[in-house]
Amino acid sequence: MLFRLLTSLVFPHYCPSCGHEWFDGVGFICSECWKRLEAFKGYRRIKEHELKERTQIAFVYNEIARLLVLHMKFYGRIDIAEKLGSVLFQQFYPQLSQIKFEAVIPVPLHSVRVRERGFNQSAVMASRLADKLKAPLRDDLLHRTRNTRPQSRLSNQERENNVIGAFAARPPVNRIPGGTVLLVDDVLHTGSTVKGCVKVLEDIGIEDIRIMAAMG
Ligand SMILES: [Zn+2]
């Protein structure tokens, strides 16, 4: 009872999407809103075929998803990022269980944003996935060299330009994973951001990079 009271103070039991108190949801959203999260099927907006081939996305970025992201980013709801990490694992378990991952790597946020927000939601998801996959979390490999503008407000071409040169491998790069790695992002729109990360990871010698995002 005390534990429930304390957790409800930290993470109030109301749905970040509709605002109703929930008792029967999946742990971060009420069951009605959970039903309205749509499974992601189309990869049309991701431009490059090669990127599509290795990308898995759980949900369509609809209004429910947008509100979840808003609460993660701006209302400190780290619990949503944790739960999304678990949901990704459950949803893609058949495919994930076929692969031995040498590292789970989050798309990095700029250090200024991490300080403002308190956490990197992609890193929280990646950490949960790494735990479940029993693979090392390597949030030390990539970093953001520039505090780029939010991709969601930009056109496709602006998104491409916005992330050019925005990522780097954190020097010195030691213990570079040799096999397959999993790159994790919260929302994948056109793929420009993950493409920037993939390029840097390939440049340091990682060849097999799989991509996973909660929404797209
Ligand atoms: Zn709801």
Side-chain angles (χ1 to χ4, degrees), residues 122-139:
S122 300
V124 174
M125 284 179 214
S127 170
R128 182 58 67 95
L129 276 162
D131 269 359
K132 296 203 175 270
L133 291 165
K134 299 186 173 42
L137 174 72
R138 292 296 304 272
D139 52 0

Side-chain angles (χ1 to χ4, degrees), residues 81-95:
E82 289 167 346
K83 289 287 181 350
L84 283 172
S86 298
V87 168
L88 280 170
F89 178 77
Q90 284 157 13
Q91 188 145 334
F92 296 117
Y93 179 75
Q95 297 95 316

Side-chain angles (χ1 to χ4, degrees), residues 168-185:
R170 190 185 291 277
V173 178
N174 53 5
R175 298 191 301 116
I176 292 170
T180 306
V181 305
L182 184 64
L183 179 66
V184 180
D185 202 1

Side-chain angles (χ1 to χ4, degrees), residues 99-142:
I99 303 167
K100 180 177 180 348
F101 287 100
E102 297 295 328
V104 182
I105 304 168
V107 168
L109 268 188
H110 192 268
S111 53
V112 169
R113 292 258 181 91
V114 176
R115 270 201 300 280
E116 284 169 2
R117 204 169 287 173
F119 60 93
N120 170 4
Q121 65 280 1
S122 300
V124 174
M125 284 179 214
S127 170
R128 182 58 67 95
L129 276 162
D131 269 359
K132 296 203 175 270
L133 291 165
K134 299 186 173 42
L137 174 72
R138 292 296 304 272
D139 52 0
D140 57 326
L141 280 172
L142 283 174

